[in-house]
């Protein structure tokens, strides 16, 4: 099990942030443009933590070189069940330099988009204060 999964499952958001490379790029399932940088990525992940309930990883798939991981998860956004996958790439220093999230079904993705939209003012403040 990789360190990101362990930190998420423990609810240790400081450890999650420590695993992010300064130049990490976060690709959202509900936004067209990727978000570059550790401050905004960490703030988005904290926002997701506030929005998701009943989150759990159900499968982990690792690439042969150990630098690529796919973490399949289930969660709820309000009353919507969501299935998704975190795709992680680790740089040569063991930090996450790419994090892409994909989710389904569409109704849950729409609920996630609305919930994260409601969080985005706070997310922007947190990123600016970092």
């Amino acid at each position: 099990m990789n360190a990101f999964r362990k930190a998420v499952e423990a609810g240790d958001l400081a450890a999650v942030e420590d695993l992010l490379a300064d130049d990490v790029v976060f690709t959202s399932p509900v936004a067209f443009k990727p978000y570059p940088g550790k401050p905004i990525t960490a703030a988005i992940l904290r926002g997701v933590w506030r929005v998701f309930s009943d989150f759990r990883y159900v499968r982990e798939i690792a690439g042969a070189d150990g630098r690529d991981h796919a973490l399949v998860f289930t969660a709820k956004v309000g009353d919507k069940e969501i299935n998704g996958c975190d795709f992680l790439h680790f740089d040569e220093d063991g930090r996450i330099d790419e994090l892409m999230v994909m989710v389904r079904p569409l109704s849950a993705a729409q609920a996630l988009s609305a919930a994260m939209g409601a969080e985005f003012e706070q997310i922007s403040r947190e990123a600016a204060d970092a």
Side-chain angles (χ1 to χ4, degrees), residues 81 104 130:
E81 300 262 344
R104 65 159 304 279

Side-chain angles (χ1 to χ4, degrees), residues 60-79:
E60 180 174 344
I61 304 162
D65 66 359
R67 292 179 62 185
D68 290 293
H69 291 265
L71 302 172
V72 181
F73 65 84
T74 63
K76 284 187 176 181
V77 178
D79 65 348

Side-chain angles (χ1 to χ4, degrees), residues 74-130:
T74 63
K76 284 187 176 181
V77 178
D79 65 348
K80 299 286 184 189
E81 300 262 344
I82 194 165
N83 304 106
C85 191
D86 294 334
F87 294 95
L88 311 171
H89 182 268
F90 290 82
D91 66 16
E92 53 279 343
D93 297 323
R95 300 259 185 257
I96 298 166
D97 60 2
E98 295 175 24
L99 172 54
M100 178 175 59
V101 180
M102 300 181 93
V103 297
R104 65 159 304 279
L106 179 58
S107 61
Q110 291 167 330
L112 177 60
S113 180
M116 289 301 290
E119 290 282 326
F120 219 79
E121 186 175 321
Q122 181 175 346
I123 289 168
S124 296
R125 278 195 311 271
E126 289 178 15
D129 291 342

